[in-house]
Amino acid sequence: MPRFSIQEGYRITGEFEIPEGVSVIGRHPEASLPLTKHPGVSREHCRIVNQAGVVTVEDLQSRNGTFLNGKPLDSMAELRHNDYLQIDNVLLLYSALDVMPSSRTDIIERAETTSKLSYVQEVGEKLRKNIVKVIQGKDEVVRLVVVALFSDGHVLLEDVPGVGKTKLAQALAKSVNTNFKRIQFTPDMLPNDITGVNVFDESTGKFVFMPGPIFSNVVLADEINRGTPRVQSALLECMSESRITVDGSSYILHKPFFVIATQNPVDFHGTYPLPEAQLDRFLMRLSLGYPDPESEKLVLERQAMSNPLVSLSSVIESSDLLHCQSLVQKVHVSEAFRDYVVTLVNRTREHEALAYGCSTRASLALLRASQAQAALEGRDHVLPRDARDLALYVLPHRMQLRVQARATWRSTSAVLEEILGQLPMSLWE
């Protein structure tokens, strides 16, 4: 019989066998699966129908929405083995090993009222305006962070101390009404300090999992390159798959999941360079740089009396962000755009100054970031110039200069600038 494993927070608290017919999940005590302890759950939140082994789910116009595999559910969909429903702070992990699959494949098309790209523009603009209340003179960096967030990617901020990397991450976290955790990396940290650990509970005689700080929606990995490579690698699985495995048990992370990491330049004392596999997990690497004189005067004026973070409040919900991430993936991608991205990435693999070029993950990252930028600008299609404009933030940290080329080229960004100059937009637009 198909069943749900109920994960409240990050602990499995029970199971629910799905009977034949209709079952209702909600906060009402008489619901088939009552979730009475969660105020974000509606009285009748969603409907589960089990008919001849085919299990479908439908949202009942709930206040905060139902999410299937991290995507908002706006119409009936069929559940498949290992799918998961997210309802407020509850995950329902679907298991149907003994159920024959049906021929139904896709989620029914989204309702027209929520598919308008103006919704993405509106949410993105509210988020951007709230962040710039704290970060003055860095509008382009703030815009790129919002692009990465809407792309369902992660961001690495690399710069000298004191230019606002951590404050930018905190402003973003406070702007979204969701869970936020900060991890301060140090050389003596262990992987379990991030992922969590199983602790023996004497009262029950069993081991109980204590989640680490990575179990959150927005995670600030502060000074990530002060942790050893062993600790840095603890982020690999969660950043690429949104799940964590501890002592053989796998835990799904709630969506949205966004890591914004800061690091000091690698030549600073007490730092460890990030492994190539870890760098490749970040959608973008950004640098804030020093503010211009006028912006710095404004910072001194506004922060003379108080920290602007104290008065900053959230302007969007996590469900708004999930809806936007889903809409971004529906932005049309043309054949010309795909051809431009593949040509650009192949040039990085063939360039004599590079030890290795960009991977297929880099191509996908550039595609997703371009879709987000187009949606935030109100376009339902991407242009090759989107990829060109974003390439200098998405690709350089995924490449490495040859030792012999370091005397000629100052960085991989310089190599990429030359490659971009050899690919005129007139060939694709």
PDB file of all heavy atoms in Angstrom, residues 1-6 14-25 31-34 48-50 55 79 92-96 98-99:
ATOM      1  N   MET A   1       0.843  -1.197   0.000  1.00  0.00           N
ATOM      2  CA  MET A   1       0.000   0.000   0.000  1.00  0.00           C
ATOM      3  C   MET A   1       0.882   1.253   0.000  1.00  0.00           C
ATOM      4  O   MET A   1       1.871   1.318   0.729  1.00  0.00           O
ATOM      5  CB  MET A   1      -0.918   0.001   1.229  1.00  0.00           C
ATOM      6  CG  MET A   1      -1.800   1.244   1.334  1.00  0.00           C
ATOM      7  SD  MET A   1      -2.921   1.204   2.752  1.00  0.00           S
ATOM      8  CE  MET A   1      -4.100  -0.024   2.190  1.00  0.00           C
ATOM      9  N   PRO A   2       0.544   2.272  -0.811  1.00  0.00           N
ATOM     10  CA  PRO A   2       1.343   3.501  -0.792  1.00  0.00           C
ATOM     11  C   PRO A   2       1.242   4.205   0.561  1.00  0.00           C
ATOM     12  O   PRO A   2       0.219   4.111   1.249  1.00  0.00           O
ATOM     13  CB  PRO A   2       0.714   4.338  -1.908  1.00  0.00           C
ATOM     14  CG  PRO A   2      -0.672   3.816  -2.052  1.00  0.00           C
ATOM     15  CD  PRO A   2      -0.585   2.348  -1.751  1.00  0.00           C
ATOM     16  N   ARG A   3       2.309   4.901   0.928  1.00  0.00           N
ATOM     17  CA  ARG A   3       2.318   5.555   2.244  1.00  0.00           C
ATOM     18  C   ARG A   3       3.174   6.822   2.206  1.00  0.00           C
ATOM     19  O   ARG A   3       4.013   7.006   1.320  1.00  0.00           O
ATOM     20  CB  ARG A   3       2.860   4.596   3.304  1.00  0.00           C
ATOM     21  CG  ARG A   3       4.277   4.118   3.060  1.00  0.00           C
ATOM     22  CD  ARG A   3       4.773   3.242   4.209  1.00  0.00           C
ATOM     23  NE  ARG A   3       3.910   2.112   4.434  1.00  0.00           N
ATOM     24  CZ  ARG A   3       3.982   0.961   3.755  1.00  0.00           C
ATOM     25  NH1 ARG A   3       4.896   0.839   2.788  1.00  0.00           N
ATOM     26  NH2 ARG A   3       3.181  -0.027   4.016  1.00  0.00           N
ATOM     27  N   PHE A   4       2.934   7.670   3.189  1.00  0.00           N
ATOM     28  CA  PHE A   4       3.766   8.847   3.431  1.00  0.00           C
ATOM     29  C   PHE A   4       4.583   8.618   4.698  1.00  0.00           C
ATOM     30  O   PHE A   4       4.045   8.173   5.717  1.00  0.00           O
ATOM     31  CB  PHE A   4       2.917  10.105   3.637  1.00  0.00           C
ATOM     32  CG  PHE A   4       2.318  10.672   2.389  1.00  0.00           C
ATOM     33  CD1 PHE A   4       0.941  10.853   2.293  1.00  0.00           C
ATOM     34  CD2 PHE A   4       3.107  11.058   1.324  1.00  0.00           C
ATOM     35  CE1 PHE A   4       0.372  11.391   1.160  1.00  0.00           C
ATOM     36  CE2 PHE A   4       2.550  11.597   0.178  1.00  0.00           C
ATOM     37  CZ  PHE A   4       1.181  11.753   0.090  1.00  0.00           C
ATOM     38  N   SER A   5       5.870   8.942   4.645  1.00  0.00           N
ATOM     39  CA  SER A   5       6.661   9.109   5.865  1.00  0.00           C
ATOM     40  C   SER A   5       6.587  10.586   6.233  1.00  0.00           C
ATOM     41  O   SER A   5       6.842  11.455   5.399  1.00  0.00           O
ATOM     42  CB  SER A   5       8.117   8.687   5.635  1.00  0.00           C
ATOM     43  OG  SER A   5       8.194   7.305   5.388  1.00  0.00           O
ATOM     44  N   ILE A   6       6.214  10.859   7.480  1.00  0.00           N
ATOM     45  CA  ILE A   6       5.973  12.239   7.916  1.00  0.00           C
ATOM     46  C   ILE A   6       7.244  12.781   8.561  1.00  0.00           C
ATOM     47  O   ILE A   6       7.713  12.249   9.575  1.00  0.00           O
ATOM     48  CB  ILE A   6       4.796  12.301   8.911  1.00  0.00           C
ATOM     49  CG1 ILE A   6       3.550  11.652   8.294  1.00  0.00           C
ATOM     50  CG2 ILE A   6       4.508  13.729   9.314  1.00  0.00           C
ATOM     51  CD1 ILE A   6       2.423  11.432   9.286  1.00  0.00           C
ATOM     52  N   GLY A  14       6.396   9.752  11.980  1.00  0.00           N
ATOM     53  CA  GLY A  14       5.349   8.747  11.807  1.00  0.00           C
ATOM     54  C   GLY A  14       5.141   8.398  10.342  1.00  0.00           C
ATOM     55  O   GLY A  14       5.856   8.875   9.453  1.00  0.00           O
ATOM     56  N   GLU A  15       4.135   7.543  10.101  1.00  0.00           N
ATOM     57  CA  GLU A  15       3.777   7.139   8.745  1.00  0.00           C
ATOM     58  C   GLU A  15       2.271   7.243   8.567  1.00  0.00           C
ATOM     59  O   GLU A  15       1.507   7.171   9.536  1.00  0.00           O
ATOM     60  CB  GLU A  15       4.234   5.703   8.449  1.00  0.00           C
ATOM     61  CG  GLU A  15       5.725   5.557   8.204  1.00  0.00           C
ATOM     62  CD  GLU A  15       6.068   4.182   7.623  1.00  0.00           C
ATOM     63  OE1 GLU A  15       5.192   3.291   7.661  1.00  0.00           O
ATOM     64  OE2 GLU A  15       7.196   4.021   7.122  1.00  0.00           O
ATOM     65  N   PHE A  16       1.849   7.419   7.330  1.00  0.00           N
ATOM     66  CA  PHE A  16       0.428   7.473   7.000  1.00  0.00           C
ATOM     67  C   PHE A  16       0.192   6.604   5.772  1.00  0.00           C
ATOM     68  O   PHE A  16       0.693   6.905   4.684  1.00  0.00           O
ATOM     69  CB  PHE A  16      -0.010   8.912   6.726  1.00  0.00           C
ATOM     70  CG  PHE A  16      -1.424   9.043   6.232  1.00  0.00           C
ATOM     71  CD1 PHE A  16      -2.491   8.794   7.088  1.00  0.00           C
ATOM     72  CD2 PHE A  16      -1.699   9.388   4.920  1.00  0.00           C
ATOM     73  CE1 PHE A  16      -3.802   8.905   6.641  1.00  0.00           C
ATOM     74  CE2 PHE A  16      -3.004   9.503   4.465  1.00  0.00           C
ATOM     75  CZ  PHE A  16      -4.055   9.263   5.322  1.00  0.00           C
ATOM     76  N   GLU A  17      -0.514   5.499   5.961  1.00  0.00           N
ATOM     77  CA  GLU A  17      -0.868   4.631   4.837  1.00  0.00           C
ATOM     78  C   GLU A  17      -2.059   5.247   4.111  1.00  0.00           C
ATOM     79  O   GLU A  17      -3.077   5.578   4.727  1.00  0.00           O
ATOM     80  CB  GLU A  17      -1.195   3.227   5.326  1.00  0.00           C
ATOM     81  CG  GLU A  17       0.013   2.468   5.840  1.00  0.00           C
ATOM     82  CD  GLU A  17      -0.284   0.980   6.038  1.00  0.00           C
ATOM     83  OE1 GLU A  17      -1.474   0.590   5.944  1.00  0.00           O
ATOM     84  OE2 GLU A  17       0.670   0.217   6.272  1.00  0.00           O
ATOM     85  N   ILE A  18      -1.914   5.402   2.813  1.00  0.00           N
ATOM     86  CA  ILE A  18      -2.937   6.082   2.016  1.00  0.00           C
ATOM     87  C   ILE A  18      -4.024   5.079   1.630  1.00  0.00           C
ATOM     88  O   ILE A  18      -3.789   4.169   0.835  1.00  0.00           O
ATOM     89  CB  ILE A  18      -2.314   6.704   0.754  1.00  0.00           C
ATOM     90  CG1 ILE A  18      -1.170   7.652   1.143  1.00  0.00           C
ATOM     91  CG2 ILE A  18      -3.374   7.456  -0.057  1.00  0.00           C
ATOM     92  CD1 ILE A  18      -0.363   8.162  -0.020  1.00  0.00           C
ATOM     93  N   PRO A  19      -5.234   5.215   2.176  1.00  0.00           N
ATOM     94  CA  PRO A  19      -6.297   4.254   1.866  1.00  0.00           C
ATOM     95  C   PRO A  19      -6.897   4.507   0.492  1.00  0.00           C
ATOM     96  O   PRO A  19      -6.655   5.544  -0.133  1.00  0.00           O
ATOM     97  CB  PRO A  19      -7.321   4.524   2.977  1.00  0.00           C
ATOM     98  CG  PRO A  19      -7.144   5.983   3.282  1.00  0.00           C
ATOM     99  CD  PRO A  19      -5.684   6.266   3.098  1.00  0.00           C
ATOM    100  N   GLU A  20      -7.675   3.548   0.023  1.00  0.00           N
ATOM    101  CA  GLU A  20      -8.425   3.744  -1.216  1.00  0.00           C
ATOM    102  C   GLU A  20      -9.420   4.891  -1.036  1.00  0.00           C
ATOM    103  O   GLU A  20      -9.992   5.069   0.038  1.00  0.00           O
ATOM    104  CB  GLU A  20      -9.174   2.468  -1.597  1.00  0.00           C
ATOM    105  CG  GLU A  20      -8.288   1.388  -2.199  1.00  0.00           C
ATOM    106  CD  GLU A  20      -7.928   1.675  -3.652  1.00  0.00           C
ATOM    107  OE1 GLU A  20      -8.681   2.401  -4.315  1.00  0.00           O
ATOM    108  OE2 GLU A  20      -6.887   1.167  -4.114  1.00  0.00           O
ATOM    109  N   GLY A  21      -9.606   5.659  -2.094  1.00  0.00           N
ATOM    110  CA  GLY A  21     -10.560   6.761  -2.022  1.00  0.00           C
ATOM    111  C   GLY A  21      -9.899   8.088  -1.731  1.00  0.00           C
ATOM    112  O   GLY A  21      -8.724   8.305  -2.052  1.00  0.00           O
ATOM    113  N   VAL A  22     -10.656   8.964  -1.099  1.00  0.00           N
ATOM    114  CA  VAL A  22     -10.216  10.347  -0.886  1.00  0.00           C
ATOM    115  C   VAL A  22      -9.734  10.542   0.548  1.00  0.00           C
ATOM    116  O   VAL A  22     -10.399  10.116   1.497  1.00  0.00           O
ATOM    117  CB  VAL A  22     -11.368  11.336  -1.189  1.00  0.00           C
ATOM    118  CG1 VAL A  22     -10.916  12.775  -0.928  1.00  0.00           C
ATOM    119  CG2 VAL A  22     -11.832  11.181  -2.633  1.00  0.00           C
ATOM    120  N   SER A  23      -8.576  11.182   0.685  1.00  0.00           N
ATOM    121  CA  SER A  23      -8.043  11.558   1.995  1.00  0.00           C
ATOM    122  C   SER A  23      -7.724  13.046   1.971  1.00  0.00           C
ATOM    123  O   SER A  23      -7.242  13.563   0.959  1.00  0.00           O
ATOM    124  CB  SER A  23      -6.775  10.765   2.329  1.00  0.00           C
ATOM    125  OG  SER A  23      -7.013   9.372   2.292  1.00  0.00           O
ATOM    126  N   VAL A  24      -7.989  13.709   3.080  1.00  0.00           N
ATOM    127  CA  VAL A  24      -7.728  15.145   3.179  1.00  0.00           C
ATOM    128  C   VAL A  24      -6.644  15.378   4.218  1.00  0.00           C
ATOM    129  O   VAL A  24      -6.680  14.818   5.319  1.00  0.00           O
ATOM    130  CB  VAL A  24      -9.010  15.927   3.548  1.00  0.00           C
ATOM    131  CG1 VAL A  24      -8.690  17.402   3.777  1.00  0.00           C
ATOM    132  CG2 VAL A  24     -10.053  15.779   2.445  1.00  0.00           C
ATOM    133  N   ILE A  25      -5.670  16.204   3.863  1.00  0.00           N
ATOM    134  CA  ILE A  25      -4.605  16.604   4.786  1.00  0.00           C
ATOM    135  C   ILE A  25      -4.862  18.049   5.191  1.00  0.00           C
ATOM    136  O   ILE A  25      -5.099  18.909   4.337  1.00  0.00           O
ATOM    137  CB  ILE A  25      -3.223  16.473   4.127  1.00  0.00           C
ATOM    138  CG1 ILE A  25      -2.965  15.028   3.691  1.00  0.00           C
ATOM    139  CG2 ILE A  25      -2.124  16.951   5.070  1.00  0.00           C
ATOM    140  CD1 ILE A  25      -1.688  14.842   2.919  1.00  0.00           C
ATOM    141  N   ALA A  31      -9.385  15.723   9.911  1.00  0.00           N
ATOM    142  CA  ALA A  31      -8.785  15.437   8.612  1.00  0.00           C
ATOM    143  C   ALA A  31      -8.212  14.028   8.614  1.00  0.00           C
ATOM    144  O   ALA A  31      -7.871  13.473   9.671  1.00  0.00           O
ATOM    145  CB  ALA A  31      -7.698  16.453   8.297  1.00  0.00           C
ATOM    146  N   SER A  32      -8.100  13.426   7.459  1.00  0.00           N
ATOM    147  CA  SER A  32      -7.535  12.074   7.358  1.00  0.00           C
ATOM    148  C   SER A  32      -6.124  12.038   7.919  1.00  0.00           C
ATOM    149  O   SER A  32      -5.733  11.096   8.599  1.00  0.00           O
ATOM    150  CB  SER A  32      -7.540  11.618   5.896  1.00  0.00           C
ATOM    151  OG  SER A  32      -8.812  11.753   5.320  1.00  0.00           O
ATOM    152  N   LEU A  33      -5.332  13.065   7.599  1.00  0.00           N
ATOM    153  CA  LEU A  33      -3.998  13.229   8.182  1.00  0.00           C
ATOM    154  C   LEU A  33      -3.964  14.612   8.829  1.00  0.00           C
ATOM    155  O   LEU A  33      -3.691  15.623   8.177  1.00  0.00           O
ATOM    156  CB  LEU A  33      -2.913  13.102   7.112  1.00  0.00           C
ATOM    157  CG  LEU A  33      -1.462  13.357   7.571  1.00  0.00           C
ATOM    158  CD1 LEU A  33      -1.090  12.482   8.762  1.00  0.00           C
ATOM    159  CD2 LEU A  33      -0.494  13.148   6.425  1.00  0.00           C
ATOM    160  N   PRO A  34      -4.275  14.699  10.137  1.00  0.00           N
ATOM    161  CA  PRO A  34      -4.328  16.013  10.800  1.00  0.00           C
ATOM    162  C   PRO A  34      -2.925  16.515  11.147  1.00  0.00           C
ATOM    163  O   PRO A  34      -2.112  15.794  11.720  1.00  0.00           O
ATOM    164  CB  PRO A  34      -5.142  15.728  12.066  1.00  0.00           C
ATOM    165  CG  PRO A  34      -4.930  14.272  12.340  1.00  0.00           C
ATOM    166  CD  PRO A  34      -4.698  13.600  11.025  1.00  0.00           C
ATOM    167  N   ILE A  48      -5.761  13.980  -1.254  1.00  0.00           N
ATOM    168  CA  ILE A  48      -5.060  12.829  -1.814  1.00  0.00           C
ATOM    169  C   ILE A  48      -6.112  11.824  -2.280  1.00  0.00           C
ATOM    170  O   ILE A  48      -7.017  11.467  -1.513  1.00  0.00           O
ATOM    171  CB  ILE A  48      -4.128  12.165  -0.780  1.00  0.00           C
ATOM    172  CG1 ILE A  48      -3.179  13.202  -0.156  1.00  0.00           C
ATOM    173  CG2 ILE A  48      -3.345  11.017  -1.405  1.00  0.00           C
ATOM    174  CD1 ILE A  48      -2.192  13.798  -1.121  1.00  0.00           C
ATOM    175  N   VAL A  49      -6.006  11.357  -3.522  1.00  0.00           N
ATOM    176  CA  VAL A  49      -6.946  10.373  -4.064  1.00  0.00           C
ATOM    177  C   VAL A  49      -6.163   9.132  -4.471  1.00  0.00           C
ATOM    178  O   VAL A  49      -5.218   9.215  -5.274  1.00  0.00           O
ATOM    179  CB  VAL A  49      -7.725  10.928  -5.275  1.00  0.00           C
ATOM    180  CG1 VAL A  49      -8.671   9.871  -5.829  1.00  0.00           C
ATOM    181  CG2 VAL A  49      -8.500  12.180  -4.869  1.00  0.00           C
ATOM    182  N   ASN A  50      -6.532   7.996  -3.900  1.00  0.00           N
ATOM    183  CA  ASN A  50      -5.929   6.711  -4.245  1.00  0.00           C
ATOM    184  C   ASN A  50      -6.976   5.879  -4.977  1.00  0.00           C
ATOM    185  O   ASN A  50      -7.932   5.405  -4.377  1.00  0.00           O
ATOM    186  CB  ASN A  50      -5.451   5.998  -2.976  1.00  0.00           C
ATOM    187  CG  ASN A  50      -4.776   4.663  -3.286  1.00  0.00           C
ATOM    188  OD1 ASN A  50      -4.639   4.285  -4.439  1.00  0.00           O
ATOM    189  ND2 ASN A  50      -4.356   3.956  -2.243  1.00  0.00           N
ATOM    190  N   VAL A  55      -2.124   7.308  -7.233  1.00  0.00           N
ATOM    191  CA  VAL A  55      -2.294   8.294  -6.167  1.00  0.00           C
ATOM    192  C   VAL A  55      -2.056   9.683  -6.751  1.00  0.00           C
ATOM    193  O   VAL A  55      -1.014   9.960  -7.351  1.00  0.00           O
ATOM    194  CB  VAL A  55      -1.327   8.031  -4.998  1.00  0.00           C
ATOM    195  CG1 VAL A  55      -1.518   9.077  -3.904  1.00  0.00           C
ATOM    196  CG2 VAL A  55      -1.548   6.630  -4.444  1.00  0.00           C
ATOM    197  N   LEU A  79       1.410  11.262  -7.983  1.00  0.00           N
ATOM    198  CA  LEU A  79       2.589  11.033  -7.157  1.00  0.00           C
ATOM    199  C   LEU A  79       3.350   9.810  -7.651  1.00  0.00           C
ATOM    200  O   LEU A  79       2.749   8.804  -8.030  1.00  0.00           O
ATOM    201  CB  LEU A  79       2.190  10.836  -5.694  1.00  0.00           C
ATOM    202  CG  LEU A  79       1.625  12.063  -4.967  1.00  0.00           C
ATOM    203  CD1 LEU A  79       1.212  11.697  -3.550  1.00  0.00           C
ATOM    204  CD2 LEU A  79       2.648  13.189  -4.942  1.00  0.00           C
ATOM    205  N   LEU A  92       6.181  15.309   3.467  1.00  0.00           N
ATOM    206  CA  LEU A  92       5.555  13.992   3.338  1.00  0.00           C
ATOM    207  C   LEU A  92       6.285  13.250   2.228  1.00  0.00           C
ATOM    208  O   LEU A  92       6.171  13.596   1.048  1.00  0.00           O
ATOM    209  CB  LEU A  92       4.066  14.144   3.016  1.00  0.00           C
ATOM    210  CG  LEU A  92       3.236  14.943   4.035  1.00  0.00           C
ATOM    211  CD1 LEU A  92       1.795  15.070   3.564  1.00  0.00           C
ATOM    212  CD2 LEU A  92       3.280  14.281   5.407  1.00  0.00           C
ATOM    213  N   LEU A  93       7.064  12.241   2.609  1.00  0.00           N
ATOM    214  CA  LEU A  93       7.887  11.482   1.657  1.00  0.00           C
ATOM    215  C   LEU A  93       7.079  10.299   1.155  1.00  0.00           C
ATOM    216  O   LEU A  93       6.715   9.402   1.930  1.00  0.00           O
ATOM    217  CB  LEU A  93       9.178  11.014   2.330  1.00  0.00           C
ATOM    218  CG  LEU A  93       9.913  12.080   3.176  1.00  0.00           C
ATOM    219  CD1 LEU A  93      11.160  11.490   3.823  1.00  0.00           C
ATOM    220  CD2 LEU A  93      10.274  13.276   2.315  1.00  0.00           C
ATOM    221  N   TYR A  94       6.809  10.272  -0.141  1.00  0.00           N
ATOM    222  CA  TYR A  94       5.910   9.272  -0.723  1.00  0.00           C
ATOM    223  C   TYR A  94       6.674   8.000  -1.078  1.00  0.00           C
ATOM    224  O   TYR A  94       7.735   8.048  -1.720  1.00  0.00           O
ATOM    225  CB  TYR A  94       5.240   9.850  -1.969  1.00  0.00           C
ATOM    226  CG  TYR A  94       4.285   8.908  -2.651  1.00  0.00           C
ATOM    227  CD1 TYR A  94       3.109   8.502  -2.033  1.00  0.00           C
ATOM    228  CD2 TYR A  94       4.552   8.429  -3.934  1.00  0.00           C
ATOM    229  CE1 TYR A  94       2.230   7.644  -2.661  1.00  0.00           C
ATOM    230  CE2 TYR A  94       3.677   7.573  -4.571  1.00  0.00           C
ATOM    231  CZ  TYR A  94       2.522   7.182  -3.928  1.00  0.00           C
ATOM    232  OH  TYR A  94       1.655   6.331  -4.561  1.00  0.00           O
ATOM    233  N   SER A  95       6.141   6.865  -0.659  1.00  0.00           N
ATOM    234  CA  SER A  95       6.732   5.566  -0.967  1.00  0.00           C
ATOM    235  C   SER A  95       5.684   4.689  -1.625  1.00  0.00           C
ATOM    236  O   SER A  95       4.575   4.537  -1.117  1.00  0.00           O
ATOM    237  CB  SER A  95       7.240   4.895   0.319  1.00  0.00           C
ATOM    238  OG  SER A  95       7.723   3.597   0.043  1.00  0.00           O
ATOM    239  N   ALA A  96       6.031   4.131  -2.803  1.00  0.00           N
ATOM    240  CA  ALA A  96       5.082   3.289  -3.548  1.00  0.00           C
ATOM    241  C   ALA A  96       5.847   2.203  -4.289  1.00  0.00           C
ATOM    242  O   ALA A  96       5.689   2.013  -5.496  1.00  0.00           O
ATOM    243  CB  ALA A  96       4.260   4.129  -4.503  1.00  0.00           C
ATOM    244  N   ASP A  98       5.483  -0.938  -4.171  1.00  0.00           N
ATOM    245  CA  ASP A  98       4.653  -2.046  -4.624  1.00  0.00           C
ATOM    246  C   ASP A  98       3.488  -1.585  -5.493  1.00  0.00           C
ATOM    247  O   ASP A  98       2.547  -2.341  -5.721  1.00  0.00           O
ATOM    248  CB  ASP A  98       4.106  -2.818  -3.412  1.00  0.00           C
ATOM    249  CG  ASP A  98       3.379  -1.915  -2.421  1.00  0.00           C
ATOM    250  OD1 ASP A  98       3.509  -0.685  -2.570  1.00  0.00           O
ATOM    251  OD2 ASP A  98       2.714  -2.444  -1.513  1.00  0.00           O
ATOM    252  N   VAL A  99       3.548  -0.346  -5.980  1.00  0.00           N
ATOM    253  CA  VAL A  99       2.462   0.184  -6.805  1.00  0.00           C
ATOM    254  C   VAL A  99       2.927   0.270  -8.248  1.00  0.00           C
ATOM    255  O   VAL A  99       4.014   0.772  -8.535  1.00  0.00           O
ATOM    256  CB  VAL A  99       2.030   1.589  -6.305  1.00  0.00           C
ATOM    257  CG1 VAL A  99       0.958   2.177  -7.217  1.00  0.00           C
ATOM    258  CG2 VAL A  99       1.509   1.487  -4.881  1.00  0.00           C
TER     259      VAL A  99
END
